[in-house]
Amino acid sequence: MESSSLTSLPEETTEHQQHPQSLSAFASIPARPPTQSTPSQKYSPLDWLSYFDEEEDISIPESDDVFHVYKAGKEGPVVLCLHGGGYTGLSFSLSASLMKEKARVVAMDLRGHGKSIAENELDLSIETMCNDVVAVVKAMYGDSPPAIVLVGHSMGGSVAVHVAASKAISTLAGLIVIDVVEGTALASLIHMQKILSSRVQHFSSIEKAIEWSVKGGSLRNIESARVSIPPTLKYEGLSEKFLSSPVPKLLLLAGTDRLDRALTIGQMQGKFQMVVVKHTGHAIQEDVPDEFANLVLNFISRNRIGPRGVEIPGLRRPFQSQPLK
C-alpha cells in the first residue's frame, strides 16, 4: 500500500509546540450542531415531478381552450381526478405517486384554475365544466378511451357526478366522490370569479345558505336574507344523480353529518359504498394520501376494473400469437 502524502496530526499538541499566529480566530467555537429545518425550509415549495411523471397541455379542437393535465403511471385503468374549487390538479400529487404503480392517474386543472386557459374563464357553470371534462377525454383518447374511474373532490365531485349522469364517457367504469353531497348552489354567483374565490358554492340546505350569508358578513339583516337568498339558489339534485349512475360508486366523507335523506336511504339499500375517513379535513386526498390511495386502488380491485373495462375472473383475452423467427 502506498503511503499517503498527507502527514497525520499528532493526537495531542503541547502548549509550547503551538504557534499562536496560526490559530484560527474561531478555534474555540464548538462544532455546529446538526442542521435543522428552519421555518422557511419547512414550508418551501416542492416540485410536482416528485409525484407525477409528466404534464401536458390538451388543446380542444375548434376552440382556444387549453387544459393542463398532470399524468402518472403507465398501466391500468385511468383514474381521472377533478379537484375542488380553488385547488388544482396538484391537489392529488401525493395520492398519484402512491397509485401510479397500479393505475394511470390523470389530474386535470379545471377551467379558471391552475395552468388551464379558457376563452371564458368566468363561465364555471356545471354544464360548461362537464363539457370540458368530456372534451379532454376525447382529445386525449379519441373514440376508444380506456376504462376510466372518475374521482372528484368537492366542486370536482359535483362535476364528476354530472359527467357520470350524462353517460358521455362510454368507458366510465367507476365513480368516486370526495366530501360533497350538497344539494343547492348559489346560481347567481356562477359567473363571478372574484366572489367565487372567497365564497361557498354549495350548501346542504337553504337554511344553511341563509345562515352563511348573514354570518359571513354579506348581509346583516336576517329577515331580508330570508327573502332575498332563496331565489339565488338552485337545487342540483346531486344525490339523485349520484345514485342513478349505473357504475360502481364510492363516497368518501370526512363526517356523516353531510348525508342527506336520499343518500342515507341509498346507503342502507347498498347502492354505493361509503367510507368515513376520520381525523381529516375537507381535502381527504391531501390530508391522508396513503389511506386515500389505498381506498381508490381497493375500489378498482374489488370491482375488477381493468385497463379496458370490467374484467371477469375466468375470462381472459387470448394472447396474441408471436410471429415465428
Side-chain angles (χ1 to χ4, degrees):
M1 179 182 295
E2 295 182 1
S3 61
S4 171
S5 59
L6 297 177
T7 57
S8 60
L9 294 174
E11 294 182 4
E12 295 182 2
T13 305
T14 60
E15 186 175 346
H16 71 275
Q17 291 176 316
Q18 294 180 359
H19 301 282
Q21 65 275 18
S22 64
L23 288 177
S24 167
F26 302 97
S28 61
I29 297 180
R32 184 184 297 273
T35 302
Q36 297 181 352
S37 297
T38 64
S40 59
Q41 291 175 324
K42 180 180 179 180
Y43 298 108
S44 60
L46 294 174
D47 196 318
W48 62 265
L49 278 170
S50 298
Y51 309 97
F52 286 99
D53 298 332
E54 58 181 314
E55 62 181 348
E56 184 179 356
D57 285 324
I58 307 298
S59 298
I60 306 304
E62 300 179 5
S63 78
D64 293 328
D65 296 345
V66 180
F67 292 97
H68 197 75
V69 300
Y70 298 92
K71 301 192 294 185
K74 302 296 181 184
E75 299 179 352
V78 170
V79 178
L80 179 57
C81 301
L82 308 179
H83 61 77
Y87 296 77
T88 71
L90 294 178
S91 172
F92 294 91
S93 295
L94 275 65
S95 303
S97 69
L98 299 169
M99 292 189 286
K100 67 181 184 180
E101 296 301 322
K102 297 182 179 180
R104 288 172 283 175
V105 183
V106 176
M108 170 183 172
D109 283 349
L110 296 173
R111 175 181 294 252
H113 293 73
K115 296 181 180 179
S116 289
I117 301 172
E119 293 180 46
N120 183 0
E121 296 197 348
L122 300 182
D123 181 6
L124 299 181
S125 65
I126 193 68
E127 295 79 11
T128 296
M129 299 184 82
C130 287
N131 290 337
D132 291 342
V133 174
V134 174
V136 167
V137 171
K138 173 77 172 179
M140 290 184 69
Y141 304 111
D143 296 325
S144 301
I148 292 176
V149 176
L150 265 180
V151 178
H153 169 231
S154 193
M155 178 189 75
S158 178
V159 175
V161 168
H162 282 81
V163 170
S166 72
K167 300 180 182 179
I169 299 179
S170 61
T171 56
L172 184 65
L175 174 62
I176 300 176
V177 175
I178 308 168
D179 214 39
V180 55
V181 296
E182 294 91 347
T184 58
L186 283 175
S188 64
L189 300 182
I190 285 178
H191 301 287
M192 303 173 67
Q193 183 73 12
K194 291 183 179 180
I195 299 179
L196 274 172
S197 63
S198 61
R199 285 197 171 185
V200 179
Q201 289 306 292
H202 303 276
F203 300 92
S204 57
S205 67
I206 294 178
E207 291 77 11
K208 290 290 185 181
I210 295 171
E211 179 184 5
W212 171 86
S213 69
V214 175
K215 289 185 176 181
S218 60
L219 297 175
R220 297 186 180 184
N221 187 311
I222 296 178
E223 183 179 358
S224 179
R226 293 169 66 184
V227 177
S228 65
I229 290 298
T232 71
L233 302 170
K234 66 177 182 180
Y235 182 69
E236 288 191 330
L238 192 63
S239 297
E240 287 77 7
K241 284 185 171 63
F242 176 75
L243 292 170
S244 66
S245 177
V247 297
K249 297 174 286 292
L250 170 62
L251 175 62
L252 301 180
L253 295 175
T256 55
D257 60 314
R258 292 179 176 271
L259 280 183
D260 57 21
R261 184 173 182 272
L263 286 177
T264 300
I265 295 174
Q267 199 270 334
M268 293 175 64
Q269 294 175 338
K271 292 185 177 180
F272 65 95
Q273 180 194 3
M274 183 184 77
V275 176
V276 178
V277 186
K278 298 180 180 179
H279 311 299
T280 67
H282 181 46
I284 295 173
Q285 75 281 9
E286 296 204 52
D287 292 344
V288 286
D290 296 59
E291 186 172 354
F292 174 77
N294 285 333
L295 286 168
V296 174
L297 293 178
N298 288 339
F299 173 83
I300 291 172
S301 176
R302 183 175 58 258
N303 292 287
R304 303 188 301 274
I305 301 174
R308 290 292 166 185
V310 177
E311 297 181 346
I312 308 299
L315 295 179
R316 297 184 179 181
R317 295 185 181 88
F319 291 101
Q320 291 183 349
S321 58
Q322 299 295 327
L324 297 176
K325 295 183 179 180

